[in-house]
PDB file of all heavy atoms in Angstrom:
ATOM      1  N   GLU E   1       3.045 -19.156   5.743  1.00  0.00           N
ATOM      2  CA  GLU E   1       1.822 -19.204   6.429  1.00  0.00           C
ATOM      3  C   GLU E   1       1.371 -17.843   6.709  1.00  0.00           C
ATOM      4  O   GLU E   1       2.007 -16.937   6.681  1.00  0.00           O
ATOM      5  CB  GLU E   1       2.017 -20.141   7.798  1.00  0.00           C
ATOM      6  CG  GLU E   1       2.443 -21.488   7.525  1.00  0.00           C
ATOM      7  CD  GLU E   1       1.449 -22.325   6.740  1.00  0.00           C
ATOM      8  OE1 GLU E   1       0.257 -22.123   7.011  1.00  0.00           O
ATOM      9  OE2 GLU E   1       1.884 -23.257   5.902  1.00  0.00           O
ATOM     10  N   ALA E   2       0.041 -17.918   7.241  1.00  0.00           N
ATOM     11  CA  ALA E   2      -0.593 -16.544   7.516  1.00  0.00           C
ATOM     12  C   ALA E   2       0.170 -15.717   8.525  1.00  0.00           C
ATOM     13  O   ALA E   2       0.234 -14.468   8.494  1.00  0.00           O
ATOM     14  CB  ALA E   2      -2.016 -16.774   8.080  1.00  0.00           C
ATOM     15  N   GLY E   3       0.907 -16.363   9.387  1.00  0.00           N
ATOM     16  CA  GLY E   3       1.731 -15.715  10.404  1.00  0.00           C
ATOM     17  C   GLY E   3       2.803 -14.820   9.931  1.00  0.00           C
ATOM     18  O   GLY E   3       3.353 -14.029  10.495  1.00  0.00           O
ATOM     19  N   GLU E   4       3.094 -15.044   8.574  1.00  0.00           N
ATOM     20  CA  GLU E   4       4.257 -14.209   7.950  1.00  0.00           C
ATOM     21  C   GLU E   4       3.588 -12.740   7.744  1.00  0.00           C
ATOM     22  O   GLU E   4       4.523 -11.814   7.561  1.00  0.00           O
ATOM     23  CB  GLU E   4       4.516 -14.833   6.607  1.00  0.00           C
ATOM     24  CG  GLU E   4       5.312 -15.999   6.620  1.00  0.00           C
ATOM     25  CD  GLU E   4       6.645 -15.945   7.244  1.00  0.00           C
ATOM     26  OE1 GLU E   4       7.232 -14.752   7.228  1.00  0.00           O
ATOM     27  OE2 GLU E   4       7.184 -16.920   7.594  1.00  0.00           O
ATOM     28  N   LEU E   5       2.289 -12.485   7.794  1.00  0.00           N
ATOM     29  CA  LEU E   5       1.843 -11.155   7.667  1.00  0.00           C
ATOM     30  C   LEU E   5       2.005 -10.403   8.979  1.00  0.00           C
ATOM     31  O   LEU E   5       1.692 -10.796  10.059  1.00  0.00           O
ATOM     32  CB  LEU E   5       0.262 -11.210   7.384  1.00  0.00           C
ATOM     33  CG  LEU E   5      -0.092 -11.668   6.028  1.00  0.00           C
ATOM     34  CD1 LEU E   5      -1.683 -12.217   6.022  1.00  0.00           C
ATOM     35  CD2 LEU E   5       0.087 -10.693   4.897  1.00  0.00           C
ATOM     36  N   HIS E   6       2.690  -9.138   8.896  1.00  0.00           N
ATOM     37  CA  HIS E   6       3.006  -8.323   9.934  1.00  0.00           C
ATOM     38  C   HIS E   6       2.924  -6.834   9.465  1.00  0.00           C
ATOM     39  O   HIS E   6       3.200  -6.563   8.223  1.00  0.00           O
ATOM     40  CB  HIS E   6       4.199  -8.701  10.563  1.00  0.00           C
ATOM     41  CG  HIS E   6       5.358  -8.486   9.692  1.00  0.00           C
ATOM     42  ND1 HIS E   6       5.802  -9.379   8.737  1.00  0.00           N
ATOM     43  CD2 HIS E   6       6.304  -7.450   9.632  1.00  0.00           C
ATOM     44  CE1 HIS E   6       6.947  -8.909   8.142  1.00  0.00           C
ATOM     45  NE2 HIS E   6       7.237  -7.693   8.613  1.00  0.00           N
ATOM     46  N   LEU E   7       2.752  -5.933  10.386  1.00  0.00           N
ATOM     47  CA  LEU E   7       2.760  -4.533  10.184  1.00  0.00           C
ATOM     48  C   LEU E   7       4.072  -3.993   9.999  1.00  0.00           C
ATOM     49  O   LEU E   7       5.115  -4.497  10.658  1.00  0.00           O
ATOM     50  CB  LEU E   7       2.022  -3.728  11.147  1.00  0.00           C
ATOM     51  CG  LEU E   7       0.543  -3.840  11.248  1.00  0.00           C
ATOM     52  CD1 LEU E   7      -0.005  -3.003  12.521  1.00  0.00           C
ATOM     53  CD2 LEU E   7      -0.112  -3.330   9.932  1.00  0.00           C
ATOM     54  N   ALA E   8       4.318  -3.110   9.058  1.00  0.00           N
ATOM     55  CA  ALA E   8       5.645  -2.508   8.852  1.00  0.00           C
ATOM     56  C   ALA E   8       5.573  -1.149   8.259  1.00  0.00           C
ATOM     57  O   ALA E   8       4.480  -0.671   7.778  1.00  0.00           O
ATOM     58  CB  ALA E   8       6.520  -3.504   7.838  1.00  0.00           C
ATOM     59  N   GLU E   9       6.612  -0.312   8.264  1.00  0.00           N
ATOM     60  CA  GLU E   9       6.668   0.919   7.610  1.00  0.00           C
ATOM     61  C   GLU E   9       7.428   0.798   6.386  1.00  0.00           C
ATOM     62  O   GLU E   9       8.559   0.270   6.295  1.00  0.00           O
ATOM     63  CB  GLU E   9       7.275   1.898   8.540  1.00  0.00           C
ATOM     64  CG  GLU E   9       7.041   3.426   8.076  1.00  0.00           C
ATOM     65  CD  GLU E   9       7.520   4.370   9.226  1.00  0.00           C
ATOM     66  OE1 GLU E   9       7.050   4.231  10.336  1.00  0.00           O
ATOM     67  OE2 GLU E   9       8.100   5.327   8.966  1.00  0.00           O
ATOM     68  N   VAL E  10       6.765   1.240   5.238  1.00  0.00           N
ATOM     69  CA  VAL E  10       7.487   0.978   3.908  1.00  0.00           C
ATOM     70  C   VAL E  10       7.251   2.297   3.144  1.00  0.00           C
ATOM     71  O   VAL E  10       6.403   3.191   3.595  1.00  0.00           O
ATOM     72  CB  VAL E  10       6.629  -0.099   3.087  1.00  0.00           C
ATOM     73  CG1 VAL E  10       6.739  -1.348   3.854  1.00  0.00           C
ATOM     74  CG2 VAL E  10       5.206   0.294   2.952  1.00  0.00           C
ATOM     75  N   PRO E  11       8.085   2.545   2.033  1.00  0.00           N
ATOM     76  CA  PRO E  11       7.929   3.698   1.281  1.00  0.00           C
ATOM     77  C   PRO E  11       6.428   3.958   0.741  1.00  0.00           C
ATOM     78  O   PRO E  11       5.828   3.052   0.329  1.00  0.00           O
ATOM     79  CB  PRO E  11       8.834   3.564   0.164  1.00  0.00           C
ATOM     80  CG  PRO E  11       9.830   2.530   0.676  1.00  0.00           C
ATOM     81  CD  PRO E  11       9.050   1.561   1.471  1.00  0.00           C
ATOM     82  N   ALA E  12       6.019   5.242   0.851  1.00  0.00           N
ATOM     83  CA  ALA E  12       4.683   5.571   0.168  1.00  0.00           C
ATOM     84  C   ALA E  12       4.884   5.486  -1.299  1.00  0.00           C
ATOM     85  O   ALA E  12       5.933   5.767  -1.794  1.00  0.00           O
ATOM     86  CB  ALA E  12       4.184   7.006   0.697  1.00  0.00           C
ATOM     87  N   PRO E  13       3.726   5.230  -2.057  1.00  0.00           N
ATOM     88  CA  PRO E  13       3.724   5.078  -3.466  1.00  0.00           C
ATOM     89  C   PRO E  13       3.999   6.493  -4.124  1.00  0.00           C
ATOM     90  O   PRO E  13       3.588   7.509  -3.624  1.00  0.00           O
ATOM     91  CB  PRO E  13       2.473   4.420  -3.790  1.00  0.00           C
ATOM     92  CG  PRO E  13       1.575   4.828  -2.757  1.00  0.00           C
ATOM     93  CD  PRO E  13       2.342   4.874  -1.482  1.00  0.00           C
ATOM     94  N   ILE E  14       4.503   6.423  -5.337  1.00  0.00           N
ATOM     95  CA  ILE E  14       4.535   7.525  -6.168  1.00  0.00           C
ATOM     96  C   ILE E  14       3.752   7.262  -7.556  1.00  0.00           C
ATOM     97  O   ILE E  14       3.978   6.197  -8.022  1.00  0.00           O
ATOM     98  CB  ILE E  14       6.022   7.994  -6.596  1.00  0.00           C
ATOM     99  CG1 ILE E  14       6.769   8.212  -5.341  1.00  0.00           C
ATOM    100  CG2 ILE E  14       6.175   9.165  -7.548  1.00  0.00           C
ATOM    101  CD1 ILE E  14       8.351   8.414  -5.499  1.00  0.00           C
ATOM    102  N   ALA E  15       2.898   8.230  -7.892  1.00  0.00           N
ATOM    103  CA  ALA E  15       1.990   7.992  -9.003  1.00  0.00           C
ATOM    104  C   ALA E  15       2.743   8.245 -10.313  1.00  0.00           C
ATOM    105  O   ALA E  15       3.658   9.100 -10.261  1.00  0.00           O
ATOM    106  CB  ALA E  15       0.794   8.865  -8.954  1.00  0.00           C
ATOM    107  N   VAL E  16       2.519   7.474 -11.348  1.00  0.00           N
ATOM    108  CA  VAL E  16       3.168   7.559 -12.653  1.00  0.00           C
ATOM    109  C   VAL E  16       2.103   7.527 -13.688  1.00  0.00           C
ATOM    110  O   VAL E  16       1.001   6.984 -13.535  1.00  0.00           O
ATOM    111  CB  VAL E  16       4.256   6.662 -13.020  1.00  0.00           C
ATOM    112  CG1 VAL E  16       5.427   6.680 -12.032  1.00  0.00           C
ATOM    113  CG2 VAL E  16       3.638   5.256 -13.048  1.00  0.00           C
ATOM    114  N   LEU E  17       2.107   8.445 -14.734  1.00  0.00           N
ATOM    115  CA  LEU E  17       1.337   8.421 -15.987  1.00  0.00           C
ATOM    116  C   LEU E  17      -0.129   8.677 -15.406  1.00  0.00           C
ATOM    117  O   LEU E  17      -0.471   9.582 -14.828  1.00  0.00           O
ATOM    118  CB  LEU E  17       1.441   7.116 -16.752  1.00  0.00           C
ATOM    119  CG  LEU E  17       2.865   6.973 -17.323  1.00  0.00           C
ATOM    120  CD1 LEU E  17       3.007   5.597 -17.959  1.00  0.00           C
ATOM    121  CD2 LEU E  17       3.170   8.130 -18.289  1.00  0.00           C
ATOM    122  N   ASP E  18      -1.064   7.591 -15.761  1.00  0.00           N
ATOM    123  CA  ASP E  18      -2.460   7.792 -15.427  1.00  0.00           C
ATOM    124  C   ASP E  18      -2.796   7.338 -14.031  1.00  0.00           C
ATOM    125  O   ASP E  18      -4.093   7.310 -13.622  1.00  0.00           O
ATOM    126  CB  ASP E  18      -3.292   6.954 -16.496  1.00  0.00           C
ATOM    127  CG  ASP E  18      -3.256   5.426 -16.091  1.00  0.00           C
ATOM    128  OD1 ASP E  18      -2.252   5.025 -15.666  1.00  0.00           O
ATOM    129  OD2 ASP E  18      -4.340   4.781 -16.390  1.00  0.00           O
ATOM    130  N   GLU E  19      -1.897   7.170 -13.158  1.00  0.00           N
ATOM    131  CA  GLU E  19      -2.350   6.606 -11.799  1.00  0.00           C
ATOM    132  C   GLU E  19      -2.790   7.753 -10.869  1.00  0.00           C
ATOM    133  O   GLU E  19      -2.279   8.849 -10.842  1.00  0.00           O
ATOM    134  CB  GLU E  19      -1.065   5.926 -11.159  1.00  0.00           C
ATOM    135  CG  GLU E  19      -0.713   4.699 -11.824  1.00  0.00           C
ATOM    136  CD  GLU E  19       0.562   4.029 -11.299  1.00  0.00           C
ATOM    137  OE1 GLU E  19       1.444   4.729 -10.599  1.00  0.00           O
ATOM    138  OE2 GLU E  19       0.764   2.794 -11.495  1.00  0.00           O
ATOM    139  N   LEU E  20      -3.762   7.259  -9.957  1.00  0.00           N
ATOM    140  CA  LEU E  20      -4.149   8.023  -8.954  1.00  0.00           C
ATOM    141  C   LEU E  20      -3.492   7.497  -7.677  1.00  0.00           C
ATOM    142  O   LEU E  20      -3.123   6.338  -7.637  1.00  0.00           O
ATOM    143  CB  LEU E  20      -5.657   7.893  -8.638  1.00  0.00           C
ATOM    144  CG  LEU E  20      -6.715   8.255  -9.824  1.00  0.00           C
ATOM    145  CD1 LEU E  20      -6.920   7.292 -10.728  1.00  0.00           C
ATOM    146  CD2 LEU E  20      -7.938   8.808  -9.207  1.00  0.00           C
ATOM    147  N   ILE E  21      -3.503   8.293  -6.627  1.00  0.00           N
ATOM    148  CA  ILE E  21      -3.086   7.725  -5.328  1.00  0.00           C
ATOM    149  C   ILE E  21      -4.350   7.817  -4.579  1.00  0.00           C
ATOM    150  O   ILE E  21      -5.068   8.908  -4.310  1.00  0.00           O
ATOM    151  CB  ILE E  21      -2.005   8.550  -4.697  1.00  0.00           C
ATOM    152  CG1 ILE E  21      -0.703   8.555  -5.456  1.00  0.00           C
ATOM    153  CG2 ILE E  21      -1.653   8.068  -3.229  1.00  0.00           C
ATOM    154  CD1 ILE E  21      -0.046   7.193  -5.634  1.00  0.00           C
ATOM    155  N   VAL E  22      -4.703   6.636  -3.834  1.00  0.00           N
ATOM    156  CA  VAL E  22      -5.792   6.552  -3.023  1.00  0.00           C
ATOM    157  C   VAL E  22      -5.421   6.299  -1.634  1.00  0.00           C
ATOM    158  O   VAL E  22      -4.575   5.512  -1.245  1.00  0.00           O
ATOM    159  CB  VAL E  22      -6.754   5.404  -3.495  1.00  0.00           C
ATOM    160  CG1 VAL E  22      -7.957   5.207  -2.609  1.00  0.00           C
ATOM    161  CG2 VAL E  22      -7.276   5.652  -4.945  1.00  0.00           C
ATOM    162  N   ARG E  23      -6.048   7.043  -0.661  1.00  0.00           N
ATOM    163  CA  ARG E  23      -5.963   6.756   0.748  1.00  0.00           C
ATOM    164  C   ARG E  23      -6.891   5.572   1.086  1.00  0.00           C
ATOM    165  O   ARG E  23      -8.097   5.710   0.989  1.00  0.00           O
ATOM    166  CB  ARG E  23      -6.375   8.011   1.640  1.00  0.00           C
ATOM    167  CG  ARG E  23      -6.261   7.708   3.081  1.00  0.00           C
ATOM    168  CD  ARG E  23      -4.973   7.509   3.573  1.00  0.00           C
ATOM    169  NE  ARG E  23      -4.753   7.726   5.057  1.00  0.00           N
ATOM    170  CZ  ARG E  23      -4.730   6.844   5.938  1.00  0.00           C
ATOM    171  NH1 ARG E  23      -4.855   5.596   5.630  1.00  0.00           N
ATOM    172  NH2 ARG E  23      -4.578   7.038   7.246  1.00  0.00           N
ATOM    173  N   VAL E  24      -6.417   4.480   1.331  1.00  0.00           N
ATOM    174  CA  VAL E  24      -7.174   3.285   1.453  1.00  0.00           C
ATOM    175  C   VAL E  24      -7.899   3.292   2.833  1.00  0.00           C
ATOM    176  O   VAL E  24      -7.339   3.455   3.904  1.00  0.00           O
ATOM    177  CB  VAL E  24      -6.311   1.930   1.427  1.00  0.00           C
ATOM    178  CG1 VAL E  24      -7.154   0.672   1.623  1.00  0.00           C
ATOM    179  CG2 VAL E  24      -5.712   1.820   0.135  1.00  0.00           C
ATOM    180  N   ILE E  25      -9.106   3.097   2.802  1.00  0.00           N
ATOM    181  CA  ILE E  25     -10.046   2.953   4.078  1.00  0.00           C
ATOM    182  C   ILE E  25     -10.164   1.576   4.371  1.00  0.00           C
ATOM    183  O   ILE E  25     -10.195   1.080   5.646  1.00  0.00           O
ATOM    184  CB  ILE E  25     -11.288   3.752   4.045  1.00  0.00           C
ATOM    185  CG1 ILE E  25     -10.889   5.280   3.845  1.00  0.00           C
ATOM    186  CG2 ILE E  25     -12.121   3.623   5.295  1.00  0.00           C
ATOM    187  CD1 ILE E  25     -12.046   6.192   3.716  1.00  0.00           C
ATOM    188  N   ALA E  26     -10.472   0.648   3.358  1.00  0.00           N
ATOM    189  CA  ALA E  26     -10.837  -0.660   3.649  1.00  0.00           C
ATOM    190  C   ALA E  26     -10.277  -1.598   2.412  1.00  0.00           C
ATOM    191  O   ALA E  26     -10.271  -1.090   1.300  1.00  0.00           O
ATOM    192  CB  ALA E  26     -12.307  -0.946   3.871  1.00  0.00           C
ATOM    193  N   ALA E  27      -9.817  -2.650   2.754  1.00  0.00           N
ATOM    194  CA  ALA E  27      -9.158  -3.621   1.727  1.00  0.00           C
ATOM    195  C   ALA E  27      -9.933  -4.955   1.775  1.00  0.00           C
ATOM    196  O   ALA E  27     -10.071  -5.592   3.044  1.00  0.00           O
ATOM    197  CB  ALA E  27      -7.741  -3.723   1.885  1.00  0.00           C
ATOM    198  N   GLY E  28     -10.368  -5.461   0.710  1.00  0.00           N
ATOM    199  CA  GLY E  28     -11.009  -6.845   0.738  1.00  0.00           C
ATOM    200  C   GLY E  28      -9.969  -7.793   0.548  1.00  0.00           C
ATOM    201  O   GLY E  28      -8.831  -7.645   0.171  1.00  0.00           O
TER     202      GLY E  28
END
């Protein structure tokens, strides 16, 4: 259920090949 969503601290991503890293301001 929706209640499963919670804040946590996770590893930051590492870019590979053509990837950019974006600092997310908003998420749809």
Side-chain angles (χ1 to χ4, degrees):
E1 300 297 323
E4 293 292 338
L5 289 160
H6 64 279
L7 288 177
E9 193 166 312
V10 300
I14 298 173
V16 297
L17 300 175
D18 73 328
E19 289 179 342
L20 301 86
I21 300 294
V22 173
R23 176 69 160 99
V24 179
I25 294 176

